[in-house]
Amino acid sequence: MRAMILAAGRGERMRPLTDATPKPLLDVGGTPLIGWHLKKLAAAGVREVVINHAWLGEQIEASLGDGSAYGVQIQYSAEGTALETAGGVAKALPLLGTAPFILLSADIYTDYPYARLVAAAQVLAAEPQRLAHLVLAPTTRYQLDFSLDEAGWVRGDAAPQYTYANLGVLRPELVASVVAGQAAKLGPLLHQFAAAGRISGEAYAGPWLNVGSPADLAEAREAASRQTHAG
């Protein structure tokens, strides 16, 4: 079971904090933002992690090393220029293998139980026609992307109700049309295959935050403090 964490973004809205520090390494409750994901993946039994990077990527490698401090084994996919989401995945496919893998963005903060993604990956492995399983957030705070039918299939209709939580499981075939080394966004591919009935999903109403601005970072730090004290 492998996971890929997308960590190549510049973090423009987080400036000036990201001028000298890559956004995944910003401190959230004494742990780098990306470190929360590494801990949760390890707790779910995922040991092999691929991280892509571009902006200040050498800092990410220097901070996280081989991942042993978090109980995982990290391989890095370095991008000279950020290749967007689908482009980053396509470039990293040689490190990810041929089985379904967990895909998540470094700049989210959530209580979602990652063990559910491991279970979803097992379903995808048994059902080749299913190309992805997405976690969707029922929030109006961000752009709405998809709807979810009663059977658990993701739809990209004219009345979306959920935000893609930048968290899910993908089969490598989903990015087969993307040329390695070229920039490409994941959103259009997700909409394409959702329309074809090939993407399942689930709504998660628990804590979830897209950490894109200093205000979001402060909110994530507050949430981490509550989680630490509750634990």
Side-chain angles (χ1 to χ4, degrees):
M1 185 75 235
R2 292 188 173 105
M4 179 173 183
I5 303 178
L6 298 169
R10 171 68 173 80
E12 290 289 346
R13 291 194 299 130
M14 194 68 79
R15 297 182 67 184
L17 295 177
T18 51
D19 286 344
T21 303
K23 184 161 63 168
L25 295 186
L26 293 176
D27 181 83
V28 176
T31 296
L33 182 57
I34 196 172
W36 289 93
H37 300 303
L38 295 173
K39 289 179 179 181
K40 287 169 66 66
L41 288 168
V46 179
R47 296 288 181 264
E48 298 183 52
V49 179
V50 175
I51 298 174
N52 73 330
H53 62 69
W55 175 250
L56 301 177
E58 67 282 355
Q59 289 190 32
I60 294 176
E61 293 199 24
S63 175
L64 304 180
D66 63 3
S68 57
Y70 292 93
V72 298
Q73 179 181 351
I74 298 175
Q75 296 186 82
Y76 296 96
S77 179
E79 302 170 11
T81 302
L83 298 175
E84 301 284 0
T85 42
V89 172
K91 184 179 187 300
L93 285 182
L95 302 176
L96 291 166
T98 59
F101 58 91
I102 294 171
L103 180 69
L104 60 101
S105 294
D107 57 357
I108 61 172
Y109 183 85
T110 182
D111 282 354
Y112 179 87
Y114 286 12
R116 276 162 49 179
L117 295 177
V118 175
Q122 294 169 345
V123 173
L124 261 67
E127 301 179 13
Q129 77 280 7
R130 194 185 306 234
L131 288 177
H133 180 83
L134 307 182
V135 178
L136 306 177
T139 175
T140 58
R141 181 170 176 173
Y142 309 100
Q143 170 184 309
L144 297 178
D145 304 302
F146 299 104
S147 58
L148 193 63
D149 69 19
E150 293 181 356
W153 293 100
V154 173
R155 304 297 182 193
D157 58 22
Q161 300 170 300
Y162 300 98
T163 296
Y164 170 46
N166 294 323
L167 190 62
V169 179
L170 266 63
R171 294 183 65 90
E173 294 91 327
L174 190 139
V175 297
S177 63
V178 180
V179 177
Q182 291 189 359
K185 295 180 181 296
L186 186 61
L189 291 173
L190 295 179
H191 279 276
Q192 173 189 336
F193 289 114
R198 302 191 66 184
I199 297 182
S200 60
E202 62 180 280
Y204 180 66
W208 177 83
L209 181 67
N210 186 345
V211 187
S213 68
D216 296 331
L217 180 63
E219 189 173 341
R221 286 169 171 168
E222 291 176 6
S225 177
R226 290 194 299 270
Q227 182 176 339
T228 300
H229 290 127

